[in-house]
């Protein structure tokens, strides 16, 4: 009897999830969602586990979030996996985090390929361990013809450095005569950023209660909707992503008449 009850409960909740997915798809879905996946260390601490246990749990949430984003028809999902500031963490933690792309791809790459997901990366590749970069580049190569969701990992990414590098490249092209001063508008400048192939994010999500950007996509987030939650990244579920998108859609409806 108890088991039957449990089954019924599960079926009920998964059918409402499916209903909600259909409701969301009936309205404009954000094309590009970016997420600052914060709170993995805190999640572990609460359970008296080492921080790396939180990162590992967080990796599983990346998979679930990717699959739902794909089902919802989101075109690009950018995930902030590692910032240029994160090198300051203890070496054992950094070493562990740098193994996560391989573990993730060893386990889930077949599923990503099956689901037509394309893997991309945005960030400074030079400082990454060879084994990390090799795994990501293989995944990018194996998924390059997929035309479903773009799963874009921001890894060793920092926005101010990105903007400065763009300025330097613009100067270079100016001096070699490729660019005139009057050519340099917002669209041209955007094309010098690491996100040149993506539209700007429509929605930014940050977990774990911090209300700041932490050097993430400063230029690209100029017009984005922000959604913050106290939920720690390893606890972030399908329901939370749906809640964020519903909030986005209701804001669009409210302001749509005057602003678009
Ligand atoms: C990382 C797990 C998620 C929470 C945030 C910090 C730790 C998945 C990847 C990944 C990256 C590239 C790729 C496939 C998977 C990842 C890092 C950290 C550095 F092609 N999770 N995850 N990369 N965490």
């Amino acid at each position: 009897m108890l088991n039957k009850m449990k089954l019924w409960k599960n079926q009920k909740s998964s059918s409402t999830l499916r209903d909600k997915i259909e409701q969301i798809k009936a309205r404009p879905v954000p094309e590009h969602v970016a997420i600052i996946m914060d709170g993995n260390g805190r999640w572990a601490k609460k359970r008296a586990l080492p921080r790396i246990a939180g990162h590992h749990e967080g990796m599983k949430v990346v998979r679930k979030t990717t699959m739902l984003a794909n089902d919802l028809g989101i075109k690009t999902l950018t995930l902030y996996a590692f910032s240029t500031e994160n090198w300051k963490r203890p070496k054992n933690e950094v070493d562990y985090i740098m193994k996560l792309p391989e573990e993730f791809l060893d386990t889930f790459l077949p599923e990503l390929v099956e689901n037509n997901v394309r893997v991309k990366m945005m960030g400074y590749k030079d400082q990454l361990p060879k084994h990390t970069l090799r795994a990501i580049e293989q995944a990018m190569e194996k998924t390059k013809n997929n035309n479903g969701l773009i799963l874009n990992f921001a890894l060793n990414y920092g926005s101010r450095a990105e903007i400065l590098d763009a300025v330097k490249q613009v100067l270079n092209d100016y001096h070699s005569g490729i660019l005139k001063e009057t050519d340099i508008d917002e669209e041209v400048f955007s094309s010098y950023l690491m996100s040149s192939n993506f539209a700007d994010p429509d929605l930014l999500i940050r977990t774990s209660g911090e209300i700041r950007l932490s050097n993430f996509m400063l230029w690209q987030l100029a017009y984005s909707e922000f959604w913050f939650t106290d939920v720690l990244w390893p606890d972030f579920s399908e329901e939370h992503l749906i809640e964020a998108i519903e909030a986005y859609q209701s804001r669009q409806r409210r302001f749509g008449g005057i602003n678009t």
Side-chain angles (χ1 to χ4, degrees):
M1 183 60 188
L2 194 70
N3 277 339
K4 255 194 180 165
M5 282 280 285
K6 267 193 185 156
L7 195 67
W8 175 77
K9 214 177 149 208
N10 284 337
Q11 278 173 355
K12 190 175 169 236
S13 59
S14 68
S15 92
T16 50
L17 192 67
R18 238 171 294 145
D19 291 347
K20 285 208 161 163
I21 292 173
E22 291 315 309
Q23 282 166 22
I24 283 181
K25 288 170 82 167
R27 301 201 285 257
V29 172
E31 288 195 12
H32 185 174
V33 176
I35 309 183
I36 303 176
M37 307 182 287
D38 202 5
N40 303 288
R42 212 173 310 162
W43 181 92
K45 196 174 177 196
K46 267 173 58 181
R47 287 165 178 73
L49 293 168
R51 288 174 60 82
I52 59 172
H55 296 312
H56 194 264
E57 199 63 26
M59 184 186 72
K60 297 193 218 158
V61 177
V62 168
R63 177 205 172 211
K64 273 199 298 181
T65 306
T66 302
M67 289 308 151
L68 178 55
N70 199 22
D71 286 347
L72 288 170
I74 291 169
K75 296 220 169 73
T76 307
L77 177 66
T78 295
L79 300 177
Y80 205 2
F82 195 84
S83 79
T84 47
E85 284 77 40
N86 286 156
W87 296 107
K88 293 180 203 145
R89 293 180 180 181
K91 183 179 180 322
N92 75 319
E93 187 180 336
V94 171
D95 287 350
Y96 182 84
I97 290 175
M98 286 301 157
K99 288 185 194 140
L100 288 177
E102 284 147 289
E103 184 179 346
F104 181 92
L105 294 165
D106 281 347
T107 320
F108 302 127
L109 186 57
E111 189 182 36
L112 296 180
V113 173
E114 246 167 64
N115 285 281
N116 198 23
V117 173
R118 182 169 184 188
V119 176
K120 289 258 189 183
M121 186 204 135
M122 173 175 92
Y124 294 94
K125 292 182 175 178
D126 295 353
Q127 294 104 310
L128 292 179
K130 294 252 170 351
H131 62 93
T132 310
L133 189 58
R134 201 182 319 125
I136 298 169
E137 284 187 331
Q138 272 176 15
M140 294 198 292
E141 175 62 27
K142 283 193 180 139
T143 60
K144 70 174 183 212
N145 295 320
N146 291 353
N147 59 7
L149 175 78
I150 295 173
L151 176 58
N152 178 35
F153 287 98
L155 216 157
N156 196 25
Y157 172 84
S159 184
R160 286 189 173 183
E162 173 195 39
I163 291 171
L164 277 181
D165 283 337
V167 168
K168 289 175 195 173
Q169 287 173 49
V170 166
L171 271 175
N172 231 313
D173 287 349
Y174 173 79
H175 286 304
S176 49
I178 299 170
L179 269 183
K180 296 196 304 288
E181 186 181 337
T182 49
D183 291 336
I184 307 168
D185 58 15
E186 292 184 8
E187 199 187 327
V188 167
F189 187 77
S190 294
S191 75
Y192 283 81
L193 298 171
M194 291 173 178
S195 54
S196 59
N197 296 313
F198 314 117
D200 290 339
D202 301 293
L203 173 63
L204 171 79
I205 297 172
R206 181 168 188 159
T207 57
S208 190
E210 311 298 346
I211 315 291
R212 53 176 178 259
L213 285 181
S214 303
N215 203 19
F216 185 56
M217 300 185 90
L218 301 177
W219 171 279
Q220 297 89 336
L221 291 169
Y223 296 103
S224 312
E225 293 287 340
F226 290 0
W227 192 82
F228 295 99
T229 177
D230 288 338
V231 171
L232 307 176
W233 178 250
D235 293 324
F236 189 83
S237 67
E238 277 100 342
E239 282 77 9
H240 295 116
L241 180 59
I242 284 176
E243 202 184 319
I245 295 174
E246 283 174 344
Y248 170 86
Q249 289 182 327
S250 67
R251 293 184 208 172
Q252 290 297 102
R253 270 206 311 282
R254 225 171 312 142
F255 299 116
I258 20 182
N259 277 348
T260 56

